[in-house]
Amino acid sequence: MFQRIHRRAAVVVAGVLTLSLAACGGDDSTDAEDLSANRAGAMATYGVGDQFKATEPVKFSVLYNNHPNYPLKNDWLFWSELNKRANVTLEPVAVPLSDYEQKRSLLIGAGDAPFIIPKTYPNQEDVFVSSGAILPVSDYLDLMPNLKDKISRWGLQPEMNTLRQADGKFYLLPGLHEKPTHDYSLAVRTDILDELDLEIPKTWDEVYSMLKAMKAAHPDTFPFSDRWHKPQPGGALLNILARSYGTQGGWGYVHATWDPTAKKLVYTGAMDQYRQMLQYLNKLVAEGLMDPESFTQTDEQARQKLANGKSFVISSNAQSLVNDYRADLAKTQPKAKLTKIPLPVGPAGEINPTLRIENGVMISKKARESENFVAMMQFVDWLFYSDAGQEFAKWGVEGTTYTKDASGKRTLTPDIDVVGLNPKGSKHLQEDYGFFNGVFVYGGTPEIVRSFFSAEELEFQAVMDTRKPIAVDPPYPFTDEEREQASLWETPLKDFVTQSSLQFILGQRDLAEWDAYVAELKGKNMDAYMDLVNKAHERYQKEHG
């Protein structure tokens, strides 16, 4: 699953992470607040590893992202077992996946949001902070022992600091990963590699050489024809390629990137590394190695070209490899072999480009006034951050949906399928039971995060685990006034970078005009924007360390 890379990323902060996270951003503690009127149903003592169970039946409303692949059912085992274990009834406010972000904004703006608001990506909470509609959850970490424990043991303070606003607080409870689990790379027809006596490419330069050999042997093809160009051209490819060049692009594009040499944030779309990335793609297109329609065609068109032997390489994740591409090829070219290769290495070296935090949960400000507020925070901590809660949300009920052997290895019961593990099963873990649901499944140890991975995908992850995680950029949270000004500049700047990137890649604009392009960015207030960014960064460093 794609993991969005957000605007504010944090630099590694020297010093030891204290349990209260006081080293940066203030004292995240509930000590100063009187919660005596908000403890109905809460456990008197609740710590790491404890099973949360409300002392009286409680109900919490939750915004529910209704996924078309497993539409909401009221009779799911997830709901009844959750009530049995935690004495909690969740009341979902269902919103279609296609309208989730828009409906979430409308509900929050109208003051009608449920107490628990999952499926929120880092940076999406920014627009709700100034209105006071969502809770500064960093004030209540003492109620969440499992969350605090994982932040401490896994050294996640730099990532958590990326979430802090100008007041030093954060308003999103993110999914936490012990290790980065990177998914996206290239899928390559390895039977064509065998035909040409080629090895799997390890670098982007070797990808270029591979594509040249494929083109020479099959001149009527575009060896590389890509997909995932929405909401912007080359969204997936530029995301991974930019990281390989030491910048950010595509789905992961943000306006500011840390320059360790200059010791300041610079404008991403004007970086030389960004130019080098565009130059590489321009070379592929100019030499007929990459389909120029890669940046405009539908996903279905890209899949058809691969299935029909008109291309041999496509961007991929683990799920698309199995469910899309191999399923397509099985119908058209059953002898074809397709492999998702480890992310090719670029000028940035052998890096793992995925951050260790992902989308998570906002809490409505209204929840703070509830008599069950403490119980709710304990419950959220258990379900989203305890080992037991994460196992339950993902695998379900031992003895019913899965079994566990003496070594702790889990196995789905024979009649239940998910991600093709039991393709002959008559029941589906998501559709029929409500588990492995994106609303409730976030992060964890590699053992739980990767527990549905195939042996092939685990081999891919083993390679990526040997690579150094990317450094986390420093935070630069804006004040309300700065954010208002920045928002006026950001859209025109991003639109121009997106448009120009495509023109440079397709050869519609010569890369010799790069300096003129940068001058045009300056004409769109790039320098003023970066002054605002670096001012915010310096202020944050001064006030919060």
Side-chain angles (χ1 to χ4, degrees):
M1 181 179 293
F2 168 70
Q3 181 181 34
R4 297 192 192 185
I5 299 173
H6 46 90
R7 173 174 56 79
R8 295 189 315 273
V11 72
V12 175
V13 179
V16 178
L17 170 62
T18 65
L19 203 57
S20 67
L21 297 184
C24 246
D27 182 14
D28 298 326
S29 171
T30 58
D31 293 346
E33 289 200 41
D34 180 9
L35 295 170
S36 58
N38 309 97
R39 293 186 176 274
M43 295 175 63
T45 57
Y46 168 69
V48 175
D50 290 345
Q51 169 63 53
F52 170 78
K53 188 163 189 177
T55 58
E56 60 186 59
V58 293
K59 296 181 179 181
F60 304 127
S61 56
V62 58
L63 191 61
Y64 185 84
N65 188 342
N66 203 3
H67 200 293
N69 290 353
Y70 42 93
L72 174 66
K73 294 179 182 177
N74 294 325
D75 63 350
W76 275 340
L77 179 61
F78 176 86
W79 306 119
S80 56
E81 186 68 19
L82 191 68
N83 181 268
K84 177 181 175 182
R85 295 189 186 197
N87 207 14
V88 170
T89 298
L90 287 179
E91 299 177 320
V93 177
V95 174
L97 170 67
S98 58
D99 294 331
Y100 187 75
E101 293 182 10
Q102 180 183 8
K103 293 290 178 63
R104 180 185 61 201
S105 295
L106 290 173
L107 286 167
I108 294 175
D112 296 327
F115 280 7
I116 302 171
I117 310 171
K119 211 65 183 174
T120 300
Y121 286 87
N123 195 42
Q124 290 183 340
E125 78 278 15
D126 290 359
V127 296
F128 307 119
V129 171
S130 60
S131 68
I134 59 173
L135 205 66
V137 287
S138 56
D139 285 350
Y140 302 96
L141 295 191
D142 285 346
L143 304 178
M144 309 186 75
N146 289 289
L147 170 62
K148 287 177 65 173
D149 176 64
K150 283 182 166 56
I151 293 172
S152 177
R153 287 191 295 110
W154 296 350
L156 284 164
Q157 185 180 6
E159 286 87 344
M160 295 302 294
N161 285 339
T162 69
L163 304 175
R164 294 188 186 272
Q165 301 290 330
D167 60 6
K169 300 180 180 184
F170 57 83
Y171 293 72
L172 178 72
L173 298 168
L176 304 179
H177 290 256
E178 182 179 10
K179 289 185 177 181
T181 295
H182 181 72
D183 192 0
Y184 283 71
S185 186
L186 301 179
V188 175
R189 282 276 302 274
T190 51
D191 58 311
I192 302 296
L193 295 186
D194 292 341
E195 170 196 318
L196 301 175
D197 196 26
L198 296 174
E199 300 291 329
I200 289 176
K202 293 185 172 64
T203 68
W204 287 105
D205 285 342
E206 290 178 8
V207 168
Y208 168 74
S209 299
M210 173 192 73
L211 295 174
K212 285 204 71 168
M214 288 177 167
K215 182 73 173 181
H218 301 274
D220 59 338
T221 68
F222 285 112
F224 187 6
S225 188
D226 214 16
R227 63 180 295 190
W228 288 320
H229 72 272
K230 292 184 177 180
Q232 60 209 86
L237 176 61
L238 268 66
N239 184 42
I240 58 173
L241 186 59
R243 285 296 189 182
S244 299
Y245 274 82
T247 184
Q248 301 175 85
W251 285 339
Y253 184 82
V254 293
H255 291 280
T257 298
W258 181 253
D259 183 336
T261 302
K263 292 185 170 55
K264 67 177 183 178
L265 290 145
V266 298
Y267 192 75
T268 303
M271 295 175 69
D272 191 57
Q273 293 93 324
Y274 196 87
R275 180 192 61 78
Q276 292 173 24
M277 173 191 70
L278 298 181
Q279 189 172 35
Y280 177 84
L281 291 172
N282 171 259
K283 180 170 67 171
L284 298 188
V285 172
E287 297 184 19
L289 309 180
M290 186 173 190
D291 185 354
E293 294 181 354
S294 294
F295 304 93
T296 53
Q297 67 189 352
T298 65
D299 287 358
E300 183 60 31
Q301 288 171 322
R303 287 173 58 181
Q304 286 177 359
K305 289 175 181 178
L306 183 72
N308 295 333
K310 298 298 183 182
S311 68
F312 309 124
V313 180
I314 191 169
S315 290
S316 183
N317 57 27
Q319 186 170 315
S320 294
L321 177 71
V322 176
N323 295 344
D324 294 350
Y325 312 142
R326 284 180 177 166
D328 294 343
L329 286 166
K331 300 172 186 175
T332 57
Q333 302 184 70
K335 294 184 179 180
K337 296 179 182 179
L338 194 72
T339 299
K340 187 181 78 166
I341 67 173
L343 181 64
V345 176
E350 295 193 7
I351 50 98
N352 188 320
T354 298
L355 296 177
R356 293 190 297 158
I357 59 173
E358 61 164 308
N359 64 90
V361 179
M362 293 187 294
I363 302 295
S364 171
K365 186 69 175 291
K366 295 186 302 182
R368 172 63 183 81
E369 306 308 316
S370 167
E371 66 174 0
N372 302 127
F373 173 68
V374 174
M376 188 193 74
M377 297 301 285
Q378 291 176 342
F379 165 72
V380 169
D381 179 69
W382 173 78
L383 180 60
F384 290 95
Y385 297 105
S386 76
D387 294 344
Q390 290 174 341
E391 179 181 63
F392 165 73
K394 188 158 193 172
W395 279 86
V397 180
E398 186 175 2
T400 301
T401 57
Y402 74 98
T403 58
K404 188 185 291 189
D405 63 21
S407 70
K409 181 182 178 181
R410 306 173 197 84
T411 304
L412 285 171
T413 50
D415 200 36
I416 298 176
D417 182 37
V418 74
V419 295
L421 292 177
N422 284 333
K424 295 182 179 180
S426 64
K427 298 288 186 179
H428 195 275
L429 187 66
Q430 295 168 309
E431 297 172 32
D432 298 305
Y433 295 92
F435 297 105
F436 195 29
N437 185 320
V439 176
F440 303 111
V441 174
Y442 299 98
T445 63
E447 189 274 331
I448 190 68
V449 170
R450 305 173 185 179
S451 54
F452 287 152
F453 285 7
S454 66
E456 177 184 22
E457 180 62 19
L458 289 173
E459 290 181 10
F460 175 92
Q461 294 301 330
V463 174
M464 297 305 298
D465 283 345
T466 65
R467 301 185 180 180
K468 183 179 179 181
I470 55 170
V472 187
D473 284 359
Y476 51 96
F478 292 137
T479 64
D480 291 342
E481 294 78 12
E482 288 169 339
R483 184 177 293 112
E484 184 176 354
Q485 177 61 71
S487 66
L488 298 176
W489 292 333
E490 285 174 340
T491 299
L493 281 167
K494 185 173 182 180
D495 288 348
F496 183 67
V497 170
T498 301
Q499 175 190 27
S500 299
S501 296
L502 187 58
Q503 291 173 340
F504 283 131
I505 291 168
L506 297 179
Q508 296 167 352
R509 185 172 188 180
D510 197 314
L511 277 157
E513 297 182 24
W514 181 260
D515 290 344
Y517 155 75
V518 173
E520 291 170 65
L521 282 173
K522 292 180 178 181
K524 296 182 183 298
N525 299 297
M526 177 185 76
D527 289 342
Y529 177 80
M530 291 312 303
D531 286 344
L532 203 66
V533 165
N534 281 294
K535 176 184 174 183
H537 163 59
E538 291 165 6
R539 180 182 61 242
Y540 181 87
Q541 290 296 101
K542 181 178 179 180
E543 294 178 357
H544 303 292

Coordinates of all heavy atoms in Angstrom, one line a residue, residues 504-534:
F504 N 9.4 18.6 -19.7 CA 10.9 18.2 -19.8 C 11.0 16.7 -20.1 O 11.9 16.3 -20.9 CB 11.6 18.5 -18.5 CG 11.9 20.0 -18.3 CD1 11.5 20.6 -17.1 CD2 12.5 20.7 -19.3 CE1 11.8 22.0 -16.9 CE2 12.8 22.1 -19.1 CZ 12.5 22.7 -17.9
I505 N 10.2 15.9 -19.4 CA 10.3 14.4 -19.6 C 10.0 14.0 -21.1 O 10.7 13.3 -21.7 CB 9.4 13.7 -18.7 CG1 9.9 13.8 -17.2 CG2 9.3 12.2 -19.1 CD1 8.8 13.3 -16.2
L506 N 9.0 14.6 -21.6 CA 8.5 14.3 -23.0 C 9.2 15.0 -24.1 O 9.0 14.8 -25.3 CB 7.0 14.5 -23.1 CG 6.1 13.7 -22.2 CD1 4.6 14.1 -22.4 CD2 6.3 12.2 -22.4
G507 N 10.2 15.9 -23.7 CA 10.9 16.6 -24.7 C 10.2 17.8 -25.3 O 10.6 18.4 -26.3
Q508 N 9.1 18.2 -24.7 CA 8.3 19.3 -25.2 C 9.0 20.6 -24.8 O 8.7 21.7 -25.3 CB 6.9 19.2 -24.6 CG 6.1 18.0 -25.1 CD 4.8 17.8 -24.4 OE1 4.5 18.5 -23.4 NE2 4.0 16.9 -24.8
R509 N 9.8 20.5 -23.8 CA 10.7 21.7 -23.4 C 12.1 21.1 -23.2 O 12.3 20.1 -22.5 CB 10.1 22.3 -22.1 CG 10.9 23.6 -21.7 CD 10.3 24.3 -20.6 NE 10.9 25.6 -20.4 CZ 10.6 26.5 -19.5 NH1 9.6 26.3 -18.7 NH2 11.2 27.7 -19.4
D510 N 13.1 21.8 -23.8 CA 14.5 21.4 -23.7 C 15.0 21.7 -22.3 O 14.8 22.7 -21.7 CB 15.3 22.2 -24.7 CG 16.6 21.5 -25.0 OD1 17.3 21.1 -24.0 OD2 17.0 21.4 -26.2
L511 N 15.7 20.7 -21.8 CA 16.3 20.8 -20.4 C 17.4 21.9 -20.4 O 17.8 22.3 -19.3 CB 16.9 19.5 -20.0 CG 15.8 18.6 -19.3 CD1 16.2 17.1 -19.4 CD2 15.6 19.0 -17.9
A512 N 17.8 22.3 -21.6 CA 18.7 23.5 -21.7 C 18.1 24.7 -21.1 O 18.8 25.7 -20.8 CB 19.2 23.7 -23.1
E513 N 16.8 24.7 -21.0 CA 16.0 25.9 -20.5 C 15.8 25.8 -19.0 O 14.9 26.5 -18.5 CB 14.7 26.0 -21.2 CG 14.8 26.2 -22.7 CD 13.4 26.3 -23.4 OE1 12.4 26.7 -22.7 OE2 13.3 26.1 -24.6
W514 N 16.5 24.9 -18.3 CA 16.3 24.8 -16.9 C 16.4 26.1 -16.1 O 15.6 26.4 -15.3 CB 17.3 23.7 -16.3 CG 17.2 23.5 -14.9 CD1 17.9 24.0 -13.9 CD2 16.2 22.6 -14.3 NE1 17.4 23.5 -12.6 CE2 16.4 22.7 -12.9 CE3 15.1 21.8 -14.8 CZ2 15.6 22.0 -12.0 CZ3 14.3 21.1 -13.9 CH2 14.6 21.2 -12.5
D515 N 17.5 26.9 -16.4 CA 17.6 28.1 -15.7 C 16.4 29.1 -15.9 O 16.0 29.8 -15.0 CB 18.9 28.8 -16.2 CG 20.2 28.1 -15.7 OD1 20.0 27.3 -14.8 OD2 21.3 28.4 -16.2
A516 N 15.9 29.1 -17.1 CA 14.7 29.9 -17.4 C 13.5 29.4 -16.6 O 12.7 30.1 -16.1 CB 14.4 29.8 -18.9
Y517 N 13.4 28.0 -16.5 CA 12.3 27.4 -15.7 C 12.4 27.9 -14.2 O 11.5 28.2 -13.6 CB 12.4 25.9 -15.8 CG 11.8 25.1 -14.7 CD1 10.5 25.0 -14.5 CD2 12.7 24.5 -13.8 CE1 10.0 24.2 -13.5 CE2 12.2 23.7 -12.8 CZ 10.8 23.6 -12.6 OH 10.3 22.8 -11.6
V518 N 13.7 27.8 -13.7 CA 13.9 28.3 -12.3 C 13.5 29.7 -12.1 O 12.9 30.1 -11.1 CB 15.3 28.0 -11.8 CG1 15.6 28.6 -10.5 CG2 15.6 26.5 -11.8
A519 N 13.8 30.5 -13.1 CA 13.5 31.9 -13.1 C 11.9 32.1 -13.0 O 11.4 33.0 -12.4 CB 14.1 32.7 -14.2
E520 N 11.3 31.3 -13.8 CA 9.8 31.3 -13.8 C 9.2 30.9 -12.4 O 8.2 31.4 -12.0 CB 9.2 30.4 -14.9 CG 9.5 30.9 -16.3 CD 9.2 29.9 -17.4 OE1 8.0 29.6 -17.5 OE2 10.1 29.4 -18.0
L521 N 9.9 29.9 -11.8 CA 9.5 29.6 -10.4 C 9.6 30.8 -9.5 O 8.8 31.0 -8.6 CB 10.3 28.4 -9.9 CG 10.0 27.0 -10.4 CD1 11.0 26.0 -9.9 CD2 8.6 26.6 -9.9
K522 N 10.7 31.5 -9.6 CA 10.9 32.7 -8.8 C 9.8 33.7 -9.0 O 9.4 34.4 -8.1 CB 12.3 33.3 -9.1 CG 13.5 32.4 -8.6 CD 14.8 33.0 -8.9 CE 15.9 32.2 -8.3 NZ 17.3 32.8 -8.6
G523 N 9.4 33.8 -10.3 CA 8.3 34.7 -10.6 C 7.0 34.3 -10.0 O 6.1 35.1 -9.9
K524 N 6.9 33.0 -9.6 CA 5.7 32.5 -8.9 C 5.9 32.5 -7.4 O 5.3 31.7 -6.7 CB 5.3 31.2 -9.4 CG 5.0 31.2 -10.9 CD 4.6 29.8 -11.4 CE 4.2 29.9 -12.9 NZ 3.1 30.8 -13.2
N525 N 6.8 33.3 -6.9 CA 7.1 33.5 -5.4 C 7.8 32.4 -4.8 O 7.7 32.2 -3.5 CB 5.7 33.8 -4.7 CG 5.0 35.0 -5.2 OD1 5.5 36.1 -5.1 ND2 3.9 34.8 -5.8
M526 N 8.6 31.6 -5.5 CA 9.4 30.6 -4.9 C 10.3 31.1 -3.8 O 10.3 30.5 -2.7 CB 10.3 29.9 -6.0 CG 11.1 28.7 -5.4 SD 12.2 28.0 -6.7 CE 13.5 29.3 -6.8
D527 N 11.0 32.1 -4.0 CA 12.0 32.6 -3.0 C 11.2 33.1 -1.8 O 11.7 32.8 -0.6 CB 12.8 33.8 -3.6 CG 13.9 33.3 -4.6 OD1 14.1 32.0 -4.6 OD2 14.4 34.1 -5.4
A528 N 10.1 33.8 -1.9 CA 9.4 34.3 -0.8 C 8.8 33.1 0.0 O 8.8 33.1 1.2 CB 8.2 35.2 -1.3
Y529 N 8.4 32.1 -0.7 CA 7.8 30.9 -0.1 C 8.9 30.2 0.8 O 8.7 29.9 1.9 CB 7.3 29.9 -1.1 CG 6.8 28.6 -0.5 CD1 5.5 28.6 0.1 CD2 7.6 27.5 -0.5 CE1 5.1 27.4 0.6 CE2 7.1 26.3 0.0 CZ 5.9 26.3 0.6 OH 5.5 25.1 1.2
M530 N 10.1 30.1 0.2 CA 11.2 29.4 0.9 C 11.7 30.3 2.1 O 12.1 29.7 3.1 CB 12.4 29.1 0.0 CG 12.0 28.0 -1.0 SD 11.3 26.5 -0.3 CE 12.5 26.0 0.9
D531 N 11.6 31.6 2.0 CA 11.9 32.5 3.1 C 10.9 32.2 4.3 O 11.3 32.1 5.4 CB 11.8 33.9 2.7 CG 13.0 34.4 1.9 OD1 14.0 33.7 1.8 OD2 12.9 35.5 1.3
L532 N 9.7 32.0 3.9 CA 8.7 31.6 4.9 C 9.0 30.3 5.6 O 8.9 30.1 6.8 CB 7.3 31.6 4.2 CG 6.1 31.8 5.1 CD1 6.0 33.2 5.7 CD2 4.8 31.6 4.3
V533 N 9.3 29.3 4.7 CA 9.6 27.9 5.2 C 10.8 28.0 6.2 O 10.8 27.4 7.3 CB 9.9 27.0 4.0 CG1 10.6 25.7 4.5 CG2 8.7 26.7 3.2
N534 N 11.9 28.6 5.8 CA 13.1 28.6 6.6 C 12.9 29.4 7.9 O 13.5 29.1 8.9 CB 14.3 29.1 5.8 CG 14.9 28.0 4.9 OD1 15.4 27.0 5.4 ND2 14.7 28.1 3.6

